[in-house]
């Protein structure tokens, strides 16, 4: 990849050029463009909540994440990553979902991501409810074949049906397995917890070959060793990272629809995303931010930061 000296790379609008509370409301105040053409990575919003089962509101997630991202600066002081020195990145806006029809919306998303991937850009998605990961994975697998998956969530999202429906925010990973989109023995579910309908609720994935790391196994410790193990087990397979904000404890991230206590800390969230450095990441998403339940904006703020951290661990983010 060319360096900044050889081609003009987009930079986030700095706080000394325009006050941080002003300017265009794009992710990180990056330039916006209509397609992913010419980009190495892109931020894209999917403003949907018609797959949610409890509190709605995630249709407002992309806007809130973009608003809270205005404080983000280009350099990662902890990891040394300088993604905008190595990659062309822009915000390509939102997918024009059909808010009256979930099944049509799923197909709209797959088509939109097919276009992004055809441009050679790695998509980082601002959600939106977790239904969206299924159609994104369809497009990802069409390009890369079945992928490894790191799924951070309070919930397994492997229900067969919800209220009789196959498509909902609690079913995406069951559908993904059925469609052959995943390398089942390279799927890692981290942070699962809460009450269930039956004692074996988390076993469906295990029976497919998933590794399930319940929240209780994450309590009181660093997750860096877990991520080292996951990296070793994934190897050089293409990987998709899907991060449900409700994996975090509601003390940190109350602004979401299906809240469970005893969750991960923001520090553990950072360890998970930073622990993806070195993997062949082919896409990622941050889902289930629900601004109506987020009066401080902190849930969206965490979401914006985790998306930036995803950008920092893309394979192209550190290439010269
Ligand atoms: Mn989820
Ligand atoms: Mn969840």
């Amino acid at each position: 990849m060319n360096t900044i000296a050889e081609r003009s790379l987009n930079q986030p609008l700095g706080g000394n050029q325009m006050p941080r509370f002003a300017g265009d409301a794009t992710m990180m105040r990056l330039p916006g463009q209509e397609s992913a053409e010419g980009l190495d990575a892109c931020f894209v919003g999917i403003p949907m909540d018609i797959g949610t089962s409890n509190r709605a509101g995630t249709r407002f997630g992309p806007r809130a994440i973009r608003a809270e991202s205005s404080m983000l600066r280009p350099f990662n002081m902890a990891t040394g990553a300088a993604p905008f020195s190595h990659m062309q990145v822009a915000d390509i806006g939102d997918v024009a979902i059909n808010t009256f029809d979930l099944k049509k919306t799923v197909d709209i998303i797959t088509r939109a991501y097919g276009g992004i991937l055809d441009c050679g850009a790695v998509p980082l998605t601002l959600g939106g409810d977790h239904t969206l990961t299924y159609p994104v994975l369809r497009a990802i697998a069409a390009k890369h074949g079945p992928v490894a998956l790191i799924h951070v969530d309070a919930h397994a999202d492997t229900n067969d049906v919800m209220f009789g429906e196959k498509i909902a925010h609690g079913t995406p990973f069951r559908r993904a397995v059925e469609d052959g989109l995943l390398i089942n023995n390279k799927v890692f579910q981290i942070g699962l917890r809460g009450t269930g309908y039956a004692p074996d609720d988390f076993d469906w994935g295990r029976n497919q070959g998933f590794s399930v790391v319940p929240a209780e196994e994450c309590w009181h410790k660093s997750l860096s060793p877990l991520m080292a193990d996951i990296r070793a087990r994934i190897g050089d397979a293409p990987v998709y990272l899907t991060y449900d904000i409700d994996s975090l404890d509601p003390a940190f991230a109350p602004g979401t629809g299906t809240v469970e206590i005893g969750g991960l800390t923001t520090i553990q969230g950072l360890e998970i995303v930073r622990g993806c450095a070195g993997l062949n990441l082919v896409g990622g998403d941050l889902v289930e931010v629900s601004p109506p339940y987020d009066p401080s904006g902190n849930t969206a703020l965490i979401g914006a930061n985790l998306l930036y951290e995803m950008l920092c661990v893309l394979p192209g983010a550190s290439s010269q």
Side-chain angles (χ1 to χ4, degrees), residues 21-178:
F21 44 85
D24 289 347
T26 54
M27 182 69 179
M28 289 190 74
R29 308 201 308 169
L30 282 160
Q33 63 181 62
E34 285 190 6
S35 84
E37 202 172 331
L39 301 179
D40 301 307
C42 62
F43 292 108
V44 53
I46 305 184
M48 67 181 290
D49 57 15
I50 53 175
T52 57
S53 55
N54 188 36
R55 301 167 174 176
T58 56
R59 66 179 60 186
F60 302 112
R63 276 205 173 171
I65 291 168
R66 287 185 174 107
E68 295 298 333
S69 76
S70 68
M71 267 296 292
L72 292 171
R73 307 170 192 88
F75 293 97
N76 191 320
M77 304 308 287
T79 69
F84 305 104
S85 300
H86 304 289
M87 292 189 294
Q88 184 69 296
V89 188
D91 185 334
I92 63 164
D94 292 329
V95 177
I97 61 127
N98 181 339
T99 199
F100 304 107
D101 192 318
L102 182 57
K103 293 185 179 71
K104 283 182 181 166
T105 287
V106 161
D107 290 337
I108 289 168
I109 293 168
T110 299
R111 273 200 302 279
Y113 278 68
I116 293 168
L117 294 164
D118 282 347
C119 292
V122 175
L124 295 175
T125 301
L126 292 58
D129 74 64
H130 220 159
T131 313
L132 65 87
T133 305
Y134 168 53
V136 171
L137 283 172
R138 290 196 303 201
I140 290 274
K143 179 179 174 81
H144 297 284
V147 292
L149 183 74
I150 298 173
H151 171 207
V152 193
D153 203 323
H155 311 98
D157 292 351
T158 53
N159 294 302
D160 183 19
V161 292
M162 297 184 86
F163 215 74
E165 295 295 329
K166 291 273 190 184
I167 303 294
H169 78 156
T171 68
F173 305 108
R174 172 90 68 136
R175 297 289 89 79
V177 167
E178 290 171 350

Side-chain angles (χ1 to χ4, degrees), residues 115-308:
I116 293 168
L117 294 164
D118 282 347
C119 292
V122 175
L124 295 175
T125 301
L126 292 58
D129 74 64
H130 220 159
T131 313
L132 65 87
T133 305
Y134 168 53
V136 171
L137 283 172
R138 290 196 303 201
I140 290 274
K143 179 179 174 81
H144 297 284
V147 292
L149 183 74
I150 298 173
H151 171 207
V152 193
D153 203 323
H155 311 98
D157 292 351
T158 53
N159 294 302
D160 183 19
V161 292
M162 297 184 86
F163 215 74
E165 295 295 329
K166 291 273 190 184
I167 303 294
H169 78 156
T171 68
F173 305 108
R174 172 90 68 136
R175 297 289 89 79
V177 167
E178 290 171 350
D179 286 6
L181 311 179
L182 302 175
I183 306 169
N184 290 3
N185 64 1
K186 294 180 191 282
V187 175
F188 300 87
Q189 297 187 301
I190 307 169
L192 275 52
R193 62 187 188 273
T195 48
Y197 286 108
D200 60 354
D201 271 4
F202 297 153
D203 288 350
W204 186 87
R206 288 187 176 108
N207 292 336
Q208 315 307 310
F210 294 9
S211 297
V212 176
V213 185
E216 287 78 6
E217 290 181 16
C218 301
W219 287 357
H220 313 299
K221 64 186 180 193
S222 167
L223 298 186
S224 295
L226 169 69
M227 294 309 297
D229 179 48
I230 288 174
R231 286 196 303 276
R233 291 168 65 185
I234 289 178
D236 57 6
V239 194
Y240 189 85
L241 171 60
T242 182
Y243 201 109
D244 185 328
I245 201 73
D246 72 26
S247 59
L248 299 180
D249 192 85
F252 301 103
T256 191
T258 46
V259 181
E260 312 284 356
I261 68 166
L264 307 181
T265 66
T266 42
I267 294 170
Q268 290 175 315
L270 286 171
E271 287 176 329
I272 291 170
V273 180
R274 290 176 182 174
C276 292
L279 289 171
N280 180 20
L281 267 185
V282 294
D285 62 49
L286 189 294
V287 298
E288 298 285 354
V289 170
S290 182
Y293 298 92
D294 190 27
S296 71
N298 281 350
T299 311
L301 178 74
I302 295 168
N305 274 273
L306 291 176
L307 281 159
Y308 168 69

